[in-house]
Amino acid sequence: MKIYNTLTKKIDDFIPNEEGKVKLYTCGPTVYHYAHIGNIRNYIGHDILDKTLRYLGYDVTRAMNITDVGHLTSDSDSGEDKMEVAKKREHKSAMEIAKFYTDAFFEDFKKVNCKVPEIVSPATENIDQYIKIIEKLLKDDYAYISGGNIYFDISKLDNYYCLTNQDSNLVVGARDSVEDDSNKRNQADFVLWFTTSKFENHELLWDSPWGKGYPGWHIECSGISIKYLGEYLDIHGGGVDNIFPHHTNEIAQSESYLGHKWCNYWFHNEHLIDESGKMSKSKGQILTVSVLEENGYNPLSFRFMCLGSHYRKQLLFSYDNLDQAQNTYNKLVKKINSLSTDGELDKDKFNEYDSKFKECLENDLNTSNALAVLYELLKDNDVNDKTKRELISSFDKVLSLDLIQENVSEEHNLDEEILKLIEERKEAKKNKDFQKADQIRDDLLARGIKLIDTREGTTYEVIKD
Ligand SMILES: [Zn+2]
């Protein structure tokens, strides 16, 4: 497999540290607000990477953090703690905020068929790990205490800017928001631990060898990754906005702590943009997957739209583009589900198309070409329907677009059957046969179908699978 590596600035052959195994870490959400669809595009990119590696036969272990403390409103050490901002806005405790937005995040994450990583760990549950790392960094002189806080000293490294080469716009842009902190030896030094809190009444505080305090944002990803995935990481993923300062700082502190190279491949997704520029939480209503759904869109047509473009290219979001994607997606699903289930599996054709599909993904996750292979397959008259179905079902392990809808006809039949029973019950009630009417209601309830009587008539809801 070949993959673009931000560290080398080129497409590299992927060689894991241990043959056949991949340790993958991806930065998770800061749960102070909803994740907008731009964030979700990033997670779809990680999901495709994760599933492609598995499809190619790697044994993948993936970890992701949930940031519930320490992330300031700028990615550098300025601004307010995002959780504190949310507390003021919503008059709730930090943990209530974190719980609410973590649940909301995973709801949307699952709606676009992203697979939950094996390890999901909130920042607040690994405080001991950060303290252990910071103690060693202090001892080895990579970190210093100043004004009560603990900072990482970037001048101790020859190659602090290894991800950006220092000339990148990413650095300049991020620099603008770095506030003058007279405690720092170098302005690009970053906080590992806030001991004398910058903020009055910070809710989340832990005991540390340096007094009560709380961790900086960057240390949590290094801490969680090393704790759960070990000292040698294969791939670290995030959005392009994480390259600087977040991932740059992760490398600085992790490698200084470990004393060797930490992660070989750095994977970054480009932004989803709207007509006004980068999607952001600060502009008016937050456009989430759930909002798209409320507006009548299938979340998977958003996923389909994302897969139509390369993860390293900016993608323009507009409702026109989404309408188009939804139409194309619906047509595709309809076409696939009109394939018959007859015939024998043609193993040669299966292998031929499966190889083509893999080749696209192995080429730096070219999902739009992978979709083109799917269309080519549908048009190929030399492949029987059974083989097409098997292939598409296999491709969908990566694409995760629910392309084969086995239950469509079953669901349809169920619906018809229930409507018939509702009609029978209505008739029974009319004939004052309440025993029969109640029997129908109870029988359906036992099957997990609850009837709801309203003035307009009877509807139903499925209360269990
Ligand atoms: Zn991170």
Side-chain angles (χ1 to χ4, degrees):
M1 168 150 163
K2 288 179 190 299
I3 190 129
Y4 182 83
N5 185 357
T6 308
L7 192 61
T8 59
K9 319 272 181 300
K10 61 182 174 57
I11 293 177
D12 284 339
D13 281 321
F14 175 65
I15 304 161
N17 283 304
E18 197 181 332
E19 205 185 327
K21 292 195 173 164
V22 180
K23 302 279 173 69
L24 170 64
Y25 184 89
T26 54
C27 291
T30 300
V31 286
Y32 74 111
H33 220 317
Y34 293 110
H36 59 66
I37 56 171
N39 304 131
I40 294 294
R41 184 201 183 193
N42 182 32
Y43 296 107
I44 291 173
H46 294 157
D47 190 59
I48 291 288
L49 171 65
D50 181 343
K51 286 174 179 164
T52 294
L53 290 164
R54 288 170 209 265
Y55 198 71
L56 297 175
Y58 289 105
D59 176 5
V60 181
T61 312
R62 177 175 166 198
M64 181 172 88
N65 63 305
I66 301 286
T67 299
D68 50 4
V69 68
H71 194 172
L72 307 191
T73 47
S74 96
D75 284 352
S76 306
D77 304 323
S78 58
E80 234 181 311
D81 186 309
K82 290 185 174 186
M83 296 306 288
E84 294 289 322
V85 174
K87 276 171 59 185
K88 280 181 205 153
R89 183 182 66 223
E90 301 182 22
H91 308 289
K92 290 182 190 166
S93 72
M95 286 297 104
E96 282 168 343
I97 301 271
K99 165 96 178 70
F100 179 83
Y101 288 111
T102 302
D103 291 348
F105 169 77
F106 279 114
E107 208 176 293
D108 282 4
F109 188 84
K110 288 175 189 166
K111 276 179 186 167
V112 292
N113 279 348
C114 283
K115 178 182 157 301
V116 177
E118 282 73 26
I119 299 143
V120 174
S121 191
T124 48
E125 286 180 12
N126 303 283
I127 302 295
D128 291 355
Q129 172 76 0
Y130 318 140
I131 290 175
K132 188 171 107 185
I133 294 174
I134 296 166
E135 278 187 307
K136 182 153 192 291
L137 291 175
L138 277 168
K139 190 173 131 256
D140 295 346
D141 215 22
Y142 286 107
Y144 58 93
I145 303 176
S146 177
N149 297 320
I150 306 196
Y151 296 89
F152 187 93
D153 184 347
I154 67 148
S155 71
K156 300 284 161 139
L157 304 181
D158 296 331
N159 200 14
Y160 169 68
Y161 293 101
C162 59
L163 276 181
T164 54
N165 289 345
Q166 204 163 0
D167 54 1
S168 161
N169 289 332
L170 295 159
V171 178
V172 177
R175 276 289 183 90
D176 294 340
S177 59
V178 176
E179 81 186 7
D180 251 3
D181 180 343
S182 56
N183 292 322
K184 292 182 179 180
R185 290 181 189 163
N186 316 287
Q187 276 314 307
D189 289 353
F190 56 92
V191 174
L192 296 166
W193 188 268
F194 291 100
T195 305
T196 39
S197 172
K198 285 174 70 149
F199 317 111
E200 297 285 321
N201 310 320
H202 197 275
E203 183 188 332
L204 299 171
L205 295 171
W206 290 268
D207 285 324
S208 80
W210 321 287
K212 273 191 191 302
Y214 61 98
W217 173 41
H218 314 295
I219 193 70
E220 69 176 80
C221 285
S222 293
I224 291 171
S225 178
I226 293 168
K227 177 171 169 183
Y228 293 100
L229 299 175
E231 291 193 9
Y232 294 89
L233 185 63
D234 292 301
I235 310 177
H236 192 311
V240 285
D241 50 329
N242 291 143
I243 296 173
F244 188 89
H246 185 49
H247 289 167
T248 300
N249 292 347
E250 279 191 45
I251 293 174
Q253 66 205 4
S254 297
E255 298 193 349
S256 303
Y257 169 71
L258 295 169
H260 58 71
K261 190 173 179 185
W262 173 45
C263 175
N264 290 330
Y265 300 86
W266 286 83
F267 175 88
H268 292 104
N269 287 291
E270 253 298 346
H271 288 304
L272 182 72
I273 53 169
D274 59 20
E275 265 113 21
S276 68
K278 190 191 152 191
M279 291 251 164
S280 125
K281 286 191 172 80
S282 54
K283 289 177 205 155
Q285 191 206 20
I286 295 169
L287 190 50
T288 64
V289 169
S290 292
V291 169
L292 291 182
E293 199 176 41
E294 281 156 26
N295 292 339
Y297 292 94
N298 179 345
L300 293 182
S301 51
F302 176 68
R303 182 174 175 111
F304 181 75
M305 181 178 143
C306 292
L307 300 192
S309 127
H310 195 257
Y311 75 91
R312 281 195 293 121
K313 287 203 177 107
Q314 289 196 342
L315 175 61
L316 177 70
F317 176 82
S318 69
Y319 278 104
D320 281 350
N321 288 352
L322 187 59
D323 282 333
Q324 215 176 354
Q326 176 138 307
N327 282 336
T328 315
Y329 172 70
N330 287 343
K331 274 189 210 153
L332 176 65
V333 171
K334 207 170 155 197
K335 172 116 180 121
I336 290 168
N337 288 284
S338 69
L339 293 170
S340 79
T341 48
D342 308 335
E344 291 274 303
L345 178 72
D346 180 340
K347 277 207 168 134
D348 289 341
K349 285 287 173 196
F350 185 95
N351 292 337
E352 179 192 324
Y353 272 96
D354 196 41
S355 302
K356 276 191 195 182
F357 179 74
K358 279 180 182 158
E359 248 171 61
C360 299
L361 295 172
E362 281 171 330
N363 181 17
D364 195 23
L365 305 180
N366 197 324
T367 46
S368 63
N369 282 357
L371 286 172
V373 171
L374 172 61
Y375 279 101
E376 188 191 326
L377 169 69
L378 282 170
K379 276 193 218 138
D380 190 339
N381 294 326
D382 292 336
V383 184
N384 67 36
D385 279 9
K386 168 83 176 171
T387 309
K388 285 181 182 174
R389 272 185 172 266
E390 292 286 323
L391 275 162
I392 293 165
S393 159
S394 185
F395 296 171
D396 214 25
K397 287 177 192 162
V398 178
L399 302 175
S400 303
L401 291 166
D402 292 354
L403 294 172
I404 305 265
Q405 302 188 333
E406 311 273 6
N407 299 325
V408 167
S409 56
E410 242 172 68
E411 260 173 35
H412 186 66
N413 290 342
L414 178 71
D415 195 51
E416 267 178 8
E417 190 197 335
I418 296 167
L419 292 178
K420 220 176 109 203
L421 286 167
I422 288 175
E423 222 22 67
E424 263 180 49
R425 179 168 165 262
K426 196 171 138 193
E427 202 60 28
K429 273 187 177 173
K430 220 164 98 185
N431 299 330
K432 304 219 182 307
D433 187 354
F434 295 113
Q435 203 185 343
K436 185 180 175 188
D438 288 348
Q439 190 64 48
I440 291 172
R441 187 198 58 205
D442 294 343
D443 286 352
L444 282 171
L445 193 61
R447 290 167 58 189
I449 294 145
K450 187 182 170 197
L451 296 184
I452 302 154
D453 293 315
T454 68
R455 260 189 235 176
E456 282 76 37
T458 304
T459 60
Y460 71 91
E461 66 178 19
V462 180
I463 53 174
K464 67 179 180 197
D465 293 329

